[in-house]
Amino acid sequence: MSGNRRKALLVSAALVGGALLMTACQSAGAATDTGAAQGAPAAAPSAPSAAPAAAAAPAGAPATGGNQGSANGAAKGAAKGSDASAKGTGGAGSGAGTGAGGRQPVRQSCAASDIAWSTRSESQAGGYVLIIAKAKPGVTCVLPGTFPIVAFGSDGTEAGPAEHSVGEPITLSGNTAAYAGVNPKTTREDGGRELDFLVVAVDGHDPAPVSLPVGALTVDKPVVTNWHTAAKDAVPLG
């Protein structure tokens, strides 16, 4: 009997010890959970503290990140706009300066190819050939106030000046005409060469003289007048 009772006591003691151990573990877990729960709210208020720090930055503090990039972009855009405005105000023009801030068109000199040519025979002053020059349609050009270059026929007998002064330049446009008179023979002696066309250039720099038929003429020391705006002023008296 005593042996069985001892076994029963040992079993009872083991059961009681296990129960106490389980109770102790549960109590420790509960205490840990309670401590964690109590510690969590203490950390929560610290999170918002960063926001006031950012909001409290001084008003004059330099911008960073995206704000600084936006500011730089705006500054560059304004600078480019200023450059464009400055370039846009410097307009260029053509022509010659007038000295008062304005410009006037520069007129081109006439070449033989710019002109519609014609001739007619006149009886005054012993007979001469009147050369008539008009600008071709759509052309405006300027004749010099000197005489044209005139040569006769295939031998190239050149006419000398009938005038020794220089007149005003003549602008040809539309129906405006210029006139030059050619006296083919200024000598009193018989003789001369029989020629039937003229080769005419506006001046000595004209690259393309024209050939004008005039009929048979006796040529000996010919002369030619300056260009004139009136046919009556283009009579060669030499």
Side-chain angles (χ1 to χ4, degrees):
M1 268 320 267
S2 61
N4 291 334
R5 185 177 295 176
R6 184 179 296 172
K7 289 180 180 179
L9 287 174
L10 289 174
V11 171
S12 298
L15 291 174
V16 172
L20 289 174
L21 180 60
M22 292 180 63
T23 302
C25 289
Q26 290 176 356
S27 297
T32 301
D33 294 342
T34 303
Q38 288 177 352
S46 63
S49 63
T64 60
N67 291 337
Q68 185 173 357
S70 299
N72 290 341
K76 290 180 181 177
K80 288 181 181 178
S82 299
D83 290 344
S85 299
K87 291 178 182 177
T89 57
S94 61
T98 61
R103 303 188 74 82
Q104 61 184 9
V106 176
R107 297 184 183 275
Q108 69 173 15
S109 297
C110 292
S113 57
D114 296 320
I115 294 173
W117 299 92
S118 61
T119 63
R120 71 173 184 246
S121 295
E122 300 287 350
S123 59
Q124 187 179 353
Y128 66 96
V129 176
L130 185 66
I131 301 173
I132 304 165
K134 290 184 177 182
K136 290 180 178 179
V139 174
T140 297
C141 62
V142 180
L143 285 174
T146 56
F147 57 92
I149 304 301
V150 177
F152 284 84
S154 57
D155 72 347
T157 301
E158 189 171 325
E163 301 174 64
H164 297 285
S165 60
V166 177
E168 294 294 322
I170 300 170
T171 299
L172 296 184
S173 181
N175 290 323
T176 301
Y179 306 89
V182 182
N183 185 346
K185 188 176 187 308
T186 60
T187 62
R188 296 182 181 274
E189 296 82 9
D190 294 336
R193 296 185 61 118
E194 295 294 322
L195 302 169
D196 59 4
F197 66 92
L198 302 176
V199 177
V200 181
V202 169
D203 57 25
H205 305 291
D206 196 333
V210 295
S211 178
L212 305 175
V214 292
L217 294 172
T218 301
V219 179
D220 189 16
K221 294 184 179 180
V223 294
V224 60
T225 69
N226 291 348
W227 290 111
H228 293 277
T229 55
K232 64 182 180 61
D233 296 328
V235 179
L237 299 176

